[in-house]
Each structure stands twice: as structure tokens, then as C-alpha cells.
Amino acid sequence: MAYNTIYMTNTDVKALLRSIPPMEELLNADWAAEFNARMGREQVKTIIAETIDAIRHELSHAVHDADDGMHPKAPVGELIAIRAVALLKMKASSTLKQVVNATGVVIHTNLGRAPLAGEAVRAVSGLAGGYNTLEYSLEKGGRGGRNSHVEWLVCCLTGAEAALVVNNNAAAVLLALSVVAAGREVVVSAGELVEIGGSFRIPEILAFSGARMVIVGCTNATRIGDYRDAITENTAVLLKVHPSNFRVEGFTASASREELGELARGRGLVFMEDLGSGLLCQLGVSFAREEPTVRACLEGGAGLVTFSGDKLLGGPQLGVIAGPRVLVEKMRGHQLCRALRVDKMCLAAFEATLRLYLAGRQGEIPVIRMIEMGAGETLRRARGLCRRLKEMGRASKRGDFVVEVVEADGVIGGGAFPTDLLPGFGVGLRCSSHSAEKLAAAFRAADVPVITAIRGEQVILHVRTLLDGEERVIVAAFAGLLGGKGL
Ligand SMILES: *Cc1c(COP(=O)(O)O)cnc(C)c1O
């Protein structure tokens, strides 16, 4: 509703402008009280002032515009209240909030990547509100190491001699290169100058670390001889980067981990591998059979390995550097390490996640469970959800919604296995009176937003990425849609 679409005379406009209530009166109105308490009078005042400005602007342009049915004589104070409350409601509620991921993308970067396992969530909530042993040794009664809580777990699970945790994998690569290669040369294949998520680019990270990049080979083929020929007395590192989010098909060649490890050892260089996703155990899907675990990389010849905590590992956002103790200790002592360190909540979640692996309970990690979920299970869940939505549609007596079980393949996401599909089923929903885009927007506008996929005229609700009990949230959102909410 706006005044800029109404025929009004100059006299009307002047009268309306004069009737804008004073700020004090608006701030003391009943509707403002709740917001004064939640966000402070000053913020509320600013938002009311913005609303008044907008209405003034509209009024001064209102005289020649067309009518949208708004009564020109509606008390301006009421309009200010309606519009200010809408704005205040938006500003007073958090924008970082829980959503239901019905997209079928397991590691969805926009939706926060890996959802944590129950054990990890409990570890965080049990710790966050109080004091803890983050840097305290109970034995010594004094200072302890922040990294010690997870280091031995990482070592157990990967066979590494030492390990260090930082803010994310980009930070891990940066810190590792800053320590082992600053002022020296890093040899990397032309086929591995990867960009991840638009902001992590190997050439830029290398430059930022102070290392000089030496590119060898071609986009599709780099052989061990190319690396060998590029080594000079300034070379510090042979770098291998996992081509996480793309695939080169056709005629390709690359140097194996074993070859690179042997070459690096023979020349006294570091062979570093940026793995991206850190697999701690083999995934139970056929296309991932070739994907090496962190342990396999280290055993296969990698001297230093970096990987993410919140991709295939299924933990919190962080990056791990695993490798020989001498190098890891150097990194721990670097100024960057302090700037890139992780907090207590992150460490609590990581420790709990690693302990699930240690106990062989990785099936409780949502990312692993969702990836390994068979098509049969998705079919069973899709049928259950479809039945509930159909019943609701019938009960509402609306004939314009059609709900059915459909094939809906998931993907791993997060840049891992970009060309592989996870076959499965979901629920397709179409409405003869609204477009799929409109339905998807209405699902997003639900109290707990549901993020869906769209295929043609259908909204697709993938069940693979639903956490336990989230079918109920979808049912509630659909009930809203049937009542016209958001449409
Ligand atoms: C994802 C990825 C990164 C970046 O990791 P973040 O944890 O997002 O910082 C770096 N390298 C590779 C190969 C990756 O796949």
C-alpha cells in the first residue's frame, strides 16, 4: 500500500503531511513498545523516521499517479504504524536461522554446509555457556594447549604424526604455504589451478603466502617429468590440488601421489596435497570408491595434507593440516596461526565428531548418512511424506494442488563429486493456480523456511537431505500454503 498511486489534490497532500503525528507520539504508541524493548528506542526511532521519509516522498509524488484502491483520506498515522511495524518485525528477527534443506544437495554451501551430528551439538551446548579447559591442563593446574583436544584424534584417524586445526581449509593451505614456501617456489600442475566457491583460488593463495608459483604441464596432462624439470635450488614444495569441483574428461594424464612423494623425498622437498574434502573413512557409494582417505594420502606419499572439517567429514567449519611434527610445530608458532585459530565451540563439535569416527559410529554423522542413504529408503520416506501432503490437500478441499512421488536424484555438493548423482526419490508438487517459483517462495516464507528444488512446473521436495522429524515442518509449511500463506 502506498500513497504514490493515488489521485490527490495539492490540498489533500498538504493536509496529510500536516497530519503526520510527532515522533514522540509514535515512539510511545502501543505498537512500538515491544520493539523498544527488543532493540532499543534509538533503533526504533530511526526505522520510524525512515518510514515517514518514504511516505513523505510518496505523498509529494502522489498527485498525478493512478489509483490502486488505497483510500487517500486514510489516517496517515495508521499507515505509518502498519509500515513501520512491518519493517521493525523484519529487523527484530534473526536473519541467520534454521531452515529445512529439501534441495537434495547434501553439503549445501549456502545453507551452512554440514549439519552437525547430535553428539557434536550436545558437546557445543554443554560447553558454550560456561568455562572450560580450552587452554587449561587439569593435571598441571595451568596452561594447556588449545589444539591438544583434537590433535591426537586426528592422528589416530589419519596416521599423521601431528596435526593443527585452523579456521577453514583455505586458511590451512595459506598457513602451510606461508611456513614451508614463503620466498621460495611451489611447483603446481596447470590442470590444478583450482577455484573453489568464487573466492578461493590457488594462484591467489599462493601469491598471498609469499610463495612463487611455478606452473608445469598442460590443462589436461602433467607428468612426473614436468615436475622434475621444474625443480631448482629455490623450490620448496610440490603441490597437488584436488580438482574438487570439476572433471577433465578425454585424454588426461597426471603424476601419481607415489611418484610425487618419491620425487619430493629424493630432492628434500615437501610434497603437499590440498585434499579439499577430508575423507576419514571410505564412503559407501560406488562412485567414491577411488576417492582416497586422508590416511591413504599420507601412506601413499603425501608429506603434508590439508582438508576441510565441514565437507565430507561432516563436522564444523575448520581446516586441518596433517603431517610431520617438525613442520606442524613451525606452523603452530607462526603469527598467522594465532590469527586463524578456531574457538571453543568449533573444537567441541570437532572433537565429538572425530570421536564418532573413532567409535565406528560415523553412520550418525548426517552428511555420511545422507550420502549413503539408498534409493529404497528415499522411496519409503517420499511415499510417507506424499501421503501426508495428499491427505492435507484432500481435507482442504482445494483441487488445484497435485502431489506425487517422483524420481529425485541428490548430489553431494560442496564441490565434491560434481558429476555424480545419488539416485533417489522425492515428492513433486504442482499447483494449477500458481507457478513453481511462487510455490517455492511460499515454502521459503514459512515460519521455518523450507528450501526446495524446482523442476519445470513442479516444486521438488527431496527427502534425502531432511533431518529426522523435518517432514513435520514441511507438512506445517504446506498447511500454510493451502490456507493461502505466502501465495
Ligand atoms: C573446498 C576446498 C578448499 C577450501 O576449503 P574451505 O574449507 O572452504 O576453506 C580448498 N581446496 C580444495 C581443493 C577444496 O575442495
Side-chain angles (χ1 to χ4, degrees):
M1 251 188 320
Y3 277 120
N4 64 355
T5 48
I6 303 158
Y7 279 114
M8 272 188 285
T9 65
N10 274 323
T11 327
D12 286 337
V13 169
K14 279 188 188 137
L16 281 168
L17 283 172
R18 265 199 309 278
S19 68
I20 292 178
M23 180 58 85
E24 272 308 299
E25 189 180 307
L26 293 165
L27 269 173
N28 292 331
D30 288 345
W31 55 262
E34 173 198 345
F35 300 104
N36 285 334
R38 282 167 75 181
M39 52 203 283
R41 257 173 103 85
E42 275 310 305
Q43 285 311 315
V44 176
K45 191 172 164 182
T46 308
I47 290 167
I48 295 177
E50 276 168 20
T51 311
I52 294 175
D53 279 350
I55 288 174
R56 268 185 205 285
H57 180 80
E58 287 162 19
L59 277 173
S60 59
H61 291 82
V63 185
H64 303 294
D65 291 339
D67 191 354
D68 77 341
M70 170 74 200
H71 195 283
K73 299 290 192 303
V76 87
E78 260 174 46
L79 185 69
I80 292 172
I82 291 169
R83 303 238 315 238
V85 165
L87 257 182
L88 285 162
K89 269 192 181 150
M90 248 162 54
K91 300 259 181 178
S93 60
S94 356
T95 51
L96 180 55
K97 58 183 188 177
Q98 184 205 352
V99 300
V100 169
N101 175 9
T103 67
V105 182
V106 176
I107 305 169
H108 197 305
T109 302
N110 299 150
L111 303 183
R113 280 202 188 160
L116 293 177
E119 295 276 300
V121 173
R122 281 187 288 282
V124 174
S125 66
L127 202 84
Y131 297 102
N132 52 69
T133 55
L134 180 62
E135 287 188 6
Y136 189 82
S137 158
L138 290 172
E139 285 152 46
K140 290 194 280 178
R143 193 186 174 94
R146 169 183 296 252
N147 201 51
S148 62
H149 309 288
V150 294
E151 181 175 20
W152 80 271
L153 281 164
V154 173
C155 293
C156 285
L157 293 164
T158 65
E161 193 187 356
L164 184 59
V165 173
V166 287
N167 182 57
N168 55 16
N169 187 35
V173 175
L174 175 64
L175 175 61
L177 289 173
S178 300
V179 167
V180 295
R184 302 188 57 199
E185 288 170 1
V186 173
V187 184
V188 59
S189 159
E192 296 177 1
L193 302 177
V194 182
E195 174 189 284
I196 312 270
S199 53
F200 176 89
R201 295 175 132 200
I202 286 293
E204 267 93 337
I205 289 271
L206 263 161
F208 203 65
S209 73
R212 209 170 72 73
M213 177 169 63
V214 176
I215 303 170
V216 295
C218 296
T219 307
N220 59 322
T222 306
R223 297 184 182 76
I224 191 66
D226 298 320
Y227 290 90
R228 193 181 299 120
D229 293 346
I231 294 174
T232 70
E233 68 266 29
N234 285 325
T235 306
V237 173
L238 305 183
L239 177 64
K240 188 174 180 64
V241 184
H242 195 292
S244 301
N245 56 3
F246 70 101
R247 197 124 300 175
V248 183
E249 306 237 330
F251 180 80
T252 64
S254 60
S256 73
R257 177 171 298 117
E258 290 72 17
E259 289 173 320
L260 284 163
E262 198 183 311
L263 178 60
R265 271 193 309 279
R267 301 291 190 95
L269 307 174
V270 175
F271 168 35
M272 170 170 157
E273 188 162 357
D274 174 18
L275 261 187
S277 261
L279 266 189
L280 293 185
C281 61
Q282 211 63 51
L283 280 178
V285 283
S286 55
F287 59 75
R289 219 170 280 144
E290 301 287 298
E291 187 68 12
T293 60
V294 177
R295 180 186 291 277
C297 290
L298 289 166
E299 284 173 357
L304 209 50
V305 173
T306 60
F307 55 95
S308 283
D310 56 348
K311 287 185 179 172
L312 291 175
L313 198 152
Q317 179 199 301
L318 54 80
V320 181
I321 304 167
R325 179 149 309 278
V326 275
L327 291 183
V328 170
E329 286 311 324
K330 265 194 202 161
M331 290 169 202
R332 206 193 309 279
H334 195 280
Q335 273 302 310
L336 256 185
C337 184
R338 168 61 201 256
L340 300 174
R341 76 184 187 185
V342 294
D343 80 328
K344 57 181 181 252
M345 292 183 280
C346 180
L347 282 169
F350 193 38
E351 183 182 359
T353 307
L354 292 176
R355 284 185 187 282
L356 287 174
Y357 279 102
L358 198 65
R361 288 165 59 196
Q362 58 271 15
E364 294 173 36
I365 295 170
V367 163
I368 306 282
R369 192 172 61 222
M370 288 171 182
I371 291 172
E372 293 185 343
M373 189 181 293
E377 185 177 347
T378 64
L379 180 59
R380 190 178 53 72
R381 289 182 71 180
R383 280 184 177 146
L385 178 60
C386 185
R387 195 174 336 106
R388 288 164 78 179
L389 298 183
K390 267 190 176 150
E391 279 163 14
M392 291 172 66
R394 265 197 301 276
S396 77
K397 303 224 165 27
R398 282 187 69 147
D400 50 349
F401 281 94
V402 180
V403 190
E404 59 185 334
V405 170
V406 295
E407 277 188 30
D409 297 340
V411 292
I412 290 187
F417 303 98
T419 56
D420 295 298
L421 295 175
L422 301 164
F425 296 85
V427 175
L429 181 72
R430 82 177 80 221
C431 177
S432 54
S433 31
H434 297 287
S435 68
E437 281 74 18
K438 189 87 198 196
L439 293 182
F443 270 111
R444 291 200 302 275
D447 291 338
V448 177
V450 177
I451 316 299
T452 68
I454 292 176
R455 187 161 70 202
E457 276 310 295
Q458 253 183 345
V459 151
I460 308 290
L461 299 158
H462 287 258
V463 292
R464 177 182 301 280
T465 44
L466 301 183
L467 295 160
D468 285 344
E470 286 189 333
E471 275 93 344
R472 233 177 300 131
V473 181
I474 293 181
V475 166
F478 187 54
L481 254 73
L482 289 170
K485 186 166 183 274
L487 288 173

